[in-house]
Amino acid sequence: MSAKKVLGIIFSNAYDEALPQLTALRTMGSVPFAARYRLIDFPLSNMVNSGVPQVGVITKSNYRSLMDHIGTGKPWDLSRKREGMTLLPPYDTPGAGITIGKADALYGCIDYISDSQKEHVLLVDCNVVCSMDYSKLIKAHTANDADITIAYANGEPPVINGGTELVMDENGRVTATRLIDCYSGSTCYSLKVMIIRRTLLERLLHEAHSAKIVDIETMISKNIGHLRVYGYEEKGFVRVLNSLQSYYDISLELLKAENRKELFSADRPVYTKVRDQVPAVYGIGANVKNSLIADGCHIYGEVENCILFRGVTVEKGAKIKDSIIMQDTFVGENSNLSCVIIDKSAVVKPNKTLCGDSSYPVYIGKGIVI
Amino acid sequence: MAVKPECIAMLLAGGQGSRLGILTKNIAKPAVPYGGKYRIIDFPLSNCVNSGIYTVGVLTQYQPLELNDYIGNGRPWDLDRANGGVHILSPYQQIKGTEWYKGTANAIYQNINFIERYDPEYVLILSGDHIYKMDYSKMLDYHKEKNADCTIAMLEVSWEEASRFGLMIVNEDGSISEFEEKPKNPRSNKASMGVYIFNWKKLRKYLIEDEAKEGSGNDFGHDVIPAMHAAGERMFAYQFDGYWKDVGTISSLWDANLDLLNPKVDLDLNDDSWRIYSRSPAAPPHYVGTDAVVENSMITEGCEINGKIDFSVLFANVTVEEGAEVKYSIVMPGTVIKKGAVVQYSIVAENAVIEEGAVVGESPENMKNIEDWGVAVIGNGVKIGKGAKIAPDTMTDSDVGGAE
């Protein structure tokens, strides 16, 4: 089956609570990542690179920055007359509050889903960073004649709300799902990337709604006995963001060439909103080692093991180590930073020292002046 | 049509730029890469948008493929519009026969119908060969204030250089009293920048007359403007002061790029209120490795730097391996510089490969005779073999074998 017959759905708000600092003012989807991206760029680009022609982006709250970022979907080539990208704001029916689970959120846009007339629906979250070829998942789904296929990774599972382990038979058919606790050890954990027959999804959503079930995991596990549910193993670079610490660690993992190669392969470009900034400028005395730097940066100081987003300025004599500095932040002369995450447009005045630890990075909020 | 534009721009982008040699073998001069992520044409196009001019005709003739591709529907410059926007205008077949654009004025003459569709009061004529930031709306205000028929942007150049330009002798009120085209003994240092505003009805009349004239070169500077002047039309000069560079030669292209690294040069590309837009590839942030040294340089997204970079401009997706050295050079997108290679005082075009230990270019201090020094140029996709040496002031357009 071709990816053309698939409707993509991206949950921009799912697991916001895992990154409370970074999502205080924005959705998970608009969390800045990897020097020039927002998390939603990865699933959106994956959709496009896998040939999925129609994508709905479900939002819940604080989605102004997300709208600003994705606009009409032009950078992903998804601004179309037919199909393309649609932003799905919360749908508040009388008696219903703000959506609390993914099943609930999907029920809110059930008309959009059925109007698409696609055969299958592909559901993905924004806190899973990967360059995944969904067309392979779709292929496996069709080959197994499955009702539902869930992508999983094999390894130490991230601890996250609703984290699920897949129990499979020798054919990869899922016989049970189990909630993961912190003692699970290495296992096959769900990446919450799943493809499901559209008509089945609609039926399950109606049932879940009347049974007041709000999350997808419960909805599926209740029906696992009489549905053909399969697992699909994703072997590439996949990381699940489940805390500020994991955000920090996963970001710095991109300093390794092999990880970058997998996430940013030339034939699967990651698209993002264009900012039209000049290339990064290195001044006399700049000293940069093992770092990822975006356009628009001005560097006159020392930078080591860092990720610098677009438009960051590092003044003379400033030293930044093991840190993540977001868009348009200014680091003054002779300041000393190590193991910090600084959000957008913050200012560190000259001669300041801020130190976290690699096991406990310090977070500085958006626009804070120190 | 909806709201009628007051002024539309016609951008002459058909030039070959023959003095750029192999760099313009397959592309027109306005498409030549500049400044890490731009092409020369980004400057006039961005100036138009920033000046509030949203209808731009781009006249192409020489090797238009890459330029057409680059401009596309004009999206990167916000010129994909329902009314106006950017239009590529190539010479086309007409009932009276087919002609190439014979000169700058003839190119506009052949597109009179395009301009008439918008029926503007004023037409701005631009060239796609220059790097500068200019607010054309201020020039238009000046044109209206002077009640001029033609306003020519001018720039004061140094007296030594003056004889290379078309010069103007300007009265106190800004009106032009005389023109001198590249004179041996200049009487003025006010040079024309090739930026003109005309009242469209007047220009139309002179274009038709010029076309009918036997032996006319159909050129603005040589024919149309002198004719208007001779007929006593109101001609004014508009003074521009700021950075302006004609990147017509290899050394001026090299200089203009390195100017971006000089804080004293008055060309600020970081100015949020006057952004220069470009079509950029989707490349990840650039990576600077543990053993890399990068100073005084501009590095664009997608680069992987493990060597030493000094006084250079690197375009997107350039790879510099361990122990390689790049100094005083311009390296265009996708080029790979392998271990231990040296690229100095050079311009390396797109997707070239400099193999291990090769040396491209030479520093002027090491020349026995400084007269022999010049920037070395490596063409598009050219491979320089292991340990090969490329002399300064040369153009290399085909693969060079290794020095085994």
Side-chain angles (χ1 to χ4, degrees):
Chain A
M1 185 193 58
S2 145
K4 282 188 188 144
K5 295 184 177 160
V6 175
L7 167 69
I9 296 278
I10 298 175
F11 296 95
S12 70
N13 278 86
Y15 308 106
D16 276 2
E17 69 283 356
L19 281 177
Q21 299 90 338
L22 292 169
T23 57
L25 299 165
R26 48 171 90 91
T27 66
M28 180 63 89
S30 44
V31 166
F33 186 76
R36 63 188 297 271
Y37 303 99
R38 304 290 183 131
L39 286 176
I40 199 168
D41 295 341
F42 295 90
L44 262 184
S45 303
N46 287 344
M47 292 281 181
V48 175
N49 291 331
S50 307
V52 176
Q54 185 176 355
V55 183
V57 177
I58 293 188
T59 59
K60 186 171 80 182
S61 54
N62 293 346
Y63 55 92
R64 193 205 57 79
S65 76
L66 184 79
M67 283 175 65
D68 179 46
H69 181 69
I70 59 181
T72 60
K74 194 81 196 176
W76 300 269
D77 235 352
L78 285 172
S79 174
R80 308 263 182 89
K81 267 190 180 170
R82 301 193 54 184
E83 308 186 322
M85 193 204 72
T86 309
L87 192 75
L88 302 166
Y91 196 80
D92 195 5
T93 48
I98 201 153
T99 56
I100 47 174
K102 280 162 46 175
D104 209 12
L106 280 174
Y107 185 77
C109 50
I110 199 157
D111 288 347
Y112 172 77
I113 294 170
S114 62
D115 286 351
S116 77
Q117 289 299 310
K118 297 289 182 195
E119 277 178 32
H120 299 269
V121 183
L122 174 64
L123 307 172
V124 301
D125 296 326
C126 288
N127 66 324
V128 180
V129 177
C130 61
S131 167
M132 187 169 169
D133 189 350
Y134 299 143
S135 66
K136 288 187 184 154
L137 171 72
I138 295 165
K139 221 173 180 177
H141 181 67
T142 324
N144 289 327
D145 193 22
D147 294 318
I148 300 174
T149 302
I150 303 172
Y152 67 90
N154 201 340
E156 199 69 39
V159 177
I160 192 158
N161 212 354
T164 324
E165 176 190 355
L166 303 184
V167 182
M168 288 168 284
D169 66 13
E170 64 278 12
N171 300 318
R173 182 160 176 179
V174 180
T175 52
T177 59
R178 274 203 289 266
L179 278 180
I180 290 171
D181 55 45
C182 41
Y183 308 109
S184 289
S186 190
T187 176
C188 296
Y189 60 92
S190 162
L191 294 168
K192 315 219 167 201
V193 173
M194 61 181 85
I195 182 163
I196 176 165
R197 253 190 316 112
R198 177 180 58 83
T199 47
L200 170 69
L201 176 67
E202 286 175 32
R203 200 190 80 211
L204 291 179
L205 287 175
H206 280 297
E207 286 172 13
H209 184 69
S210 36
K212 297 214 179 338
I213 293 168
V214 294
D215 65 293
I216 292 186
E217 281 74 25
T218 318
M219 184 180 94
I220 292 174
S221 72
K222 273 199 166 324
N223 292 289
I224 208 143
H226 57 270
L227 293 177
R228 290 175 65 84
V229 182
Y230 278 81
Y232 166 83
E233 187 175 4
E234 172 61 29
K235 294 188 175 111
F237 177 87
V238 193
R239 296 290 184 275
V240 179
L241 295 168
N242 62 346
S243 63
L244 191 67
Q245 181 70 46
S246 71
Y247 175 84
Y248 177 79
D249 294 339
I250 294 166
S251 296
L252 295 186
E253 272 192 78
L254 296 177
L255 297 177
K256 291 205 179 82
E258 65 268 25
N259 293 337
R260 279 202 307 282
K261 218 175 204 169
E262 286 204 49
L263 195 56
F264 302 115
S265 82
D267 53 341
R268 304 177 52 76
V270 184
Y271 301 97
T272 189
K273 185 183 173 189
V274 176
R275 239 182 71 138
D276 292 294
Q277 285 197 309
V278 275
V281 176
Y282 290 74
I284 297 176
N287 184 355
V288 179
K289 305 279 180 211
N290 191 35
S291 295
L292 279 172
I293 317 277
D295 279 358
C297 285
H298 284 75
I299 305 176
Y300 305 96
E302 285 181 34
V303 177
E304 193 180 348
N305 304 335
C306 287
I307 294 187
L308 266 49
F309 283 71
R310 300 192 264 201
V312 167
T313 303
V314 180
E315 287 284 7
K316 241 189 196 128
K319 284 190 182 134
I320 312 181
K321 247 190 111 174
D322 306 319
S323 296
I324 298 167
I325 315 289
M326 291 184 199
Q327 210 166 298
D328 297 330
T329 283
F330 176 90
V331 179
E333 275 181 39
N334 303 317
S335 280
N336 216 322
L337 309 177
S338 98
C339 301
V340 297
I341 299 173
I342 306 188
D343 211 318
K344 279 176 70 176
S345 308
V347 175
V348 178
K349 289 192 172 170
N351 306 310
K352 302 287 176 202
T353 300
L354 278 173
C355 291
D357 188 83
S358 63
S359 66
Y360 195 84
V362 171
Y363 171 78
I364 313 291
K366 185 174 168 183
I368 299 276
V369 178
I370 295 174
Chain B
M1 192 189 301
V3 183
K4 183 178 124 173
E6 183 188 32
C7 179
I8 74 170
M10 297 295 274
L11 208 166
L12 298 159
Q16 179 185 353
S18 52
R19 286 173 303 159
L20 288 172
I22 57 175
L23 293 179
T24 51
K25 192 174 80 174
N26 297 314
I27 55 175
K29 183 175 166 191
V32 168
Y34 168 80
K37 69 188 314 185
Y38 308 99
R39 291 176 190 259
I40 298 169
I41 198 167
D42 288 331
F43 288 82
L45 277 180
S46 302
N47 286 340
C48 281
V49 176
N50 291 333
S51 304
I53 295 169
Y54 303 119
T55 306
V56 184
V58 177
L59 299 115
T60 61
Q61 175 154 285
Y62 174 79
Q63 289 286 5
L65 195 62
E66 185 132 346
L67 199 56
N68 290 353
D69 212 27
Y70 184 70
I71 292 173
N73 66 352
R75 171 86 195 172
W77 304 270
D78 247 351
L79 286 172
D80 56 331
R81 306 238 164 191
N83 299 306
V86 68
H87 295 259
I88 304 269
L89 303 169
S90 300
Y92 57 94
Q93 240 176 0
Q94 301 177 35
I95 198 130
K96 59 185 185 208
T98 310
E99 272 184 323
W100 292 105
Y101 294 150
K102 292 180 287 180
T104 51
N106 176 258
I108 305 296
Y109 170 82
Q110 290 201 34
N111 287 288
I112 284 178
N113 288 341
F114 170 79
I115 300 172
E116 291 282 271
R117 285 170 56 159
Y118 293 98
D119 188 24
E121 281 301 303
Y122 309 101
V123 172
L124 169 68
I125 308 287
L126 300 169
S127 129
D129 298 351
H130 305 133
I131 290 168
Y132 64 114
K133 293 187 351 182
M134 181 174 178
D135 190 343
Y136 303 134
S137 69
K138 287 189 182 151
M139 180 172 168
L140 183 59
D141 289 344
Y142 177 88
H143 179 84
K144 288 191 248 178
E145 183 195 314
K146 295 291 181 186
N147 199 17
D149 297 310
C150 166
T151 300
I152 302 172
M154 59 101 171
L155 176 88
E156 288 184 2
V157 296
S158 67
W159 285 94
E160 299 86 70
E161 287 187 303
S163 60
R164 287 175 33 217
F165 292 94
L167 302 173
M168 290 173 274
I169 293 162
V170 181
N171 300 324
E172 235 162 61
D173 66 344
S175 62
I176 299 166
S177 72
E178 246 179 281
F179 289 95
E180 282 190 315
E181 194 63 24
K182 298 179 183 167
K184 279 217 176 78
N185 300 307
R187 288 184 293 146
S188 159
N189 67 336
K190 293 178 165 57
S192 163
M193 296 164 59
V195 174
Y196 315 109
I197 293 178
F198 293 98
N199 287 5
W200 169 236
K201 292 207 168 63
K202 277 268 158 67
L203 176 62
R204 188 173 186 275
K205 168 171 165 271
Y206 280 95
L207 285 176
I208 293 168
E209 285 175 16
D210 179 66
E211 188 61 22
K213 211 180 281 172
E214 283 284 320
S216 169
N218 305 119
D219 182 85
F220 274 105
H222 281 102
D223 307 294
V224 175
I225 287 170
M228 285 180 82
H229 188 242
E233 303 289 358
R234 290 179 64 82
M235 317 283 282
F236 282 79
Y238 173 77
Q239 178 145 2
F240 170 77
D241 33 39
Y243 184 90
W244 180 84
K245 195 124 187 168
D246 179 5
V247 285
T249 61
I250 293 293
S251 72
S252 65
L253 178 64
W254 184 74
D255 276 342
N257 274 283
L258 295 187
D259 276 348
L260 290 171
L261 304 175
N262 182 351
K264 288 185 190 130
V265 167
D266 181 24
L267 179 69
D268 179 12
L269 301 183
N270 290 297
D271 181 0
D272 262 358
S273 64
W274 206 270
R275 281 210 186 152
I276 304 301
Y277 301 99
S278 65
R279 188 181 289 277
S280 35
H286 73 263
Y287 174 76
V288 178
T290 313
D291 301 317
V293 179
V294 185
E295 277 192 88
N296 307 308
S297 294
M298 278 175 101
I299 316 279
T300 310
E301 287 170 342
C303 288
E304 291 269 335
I305 313 292
N306 287 298
K308 197 175 164 201
I309 317 285
D310 198 9
F311 274 106
S312 294
V313 175
L314 269 56
F315 285 70
N317 300 320
V318 169
T319 304
V320 180
E321 296 188 352
E322 301 88 50
E325 218 177 305
V326 180
K327 51 191 180 188
Y328 295 92
S329 294
I330 319 301
V331 185
M332 292 181 187
T335 286
V336 179
I337 298 168
K338 299 216 171 151
K339 288 191 183 91
V342 177
V343 173
Q344 51 190 354
Y345 299 86
S346 304
I347 296 176
V348 183
E350 291 165 62
N351 302 314
V353 178
I354 314 295
E355 290 286 352
E356 287 177 27
V359 178
V360 177
E362 183 57 274
S363 141
E365 293 103 69
N366 294 339
M367 298 297 294
K368 275 194 202 114
N369 186 355
I370 193 72
E371 298 287 305
D372 297 336
W373 180 83
V375 174
V377 182
I378 306 293
N380 230 328
V382 169
K383 191 170 157 187
I384 304 297
K386 258 187 190 177
K389 270 188 99 75
I390 303 297
D393 205 15
T394 53
M395 288 202 186
T396 308
D397 198 18
S398 51
D399 293 0
V400 173
E404 299 302 330

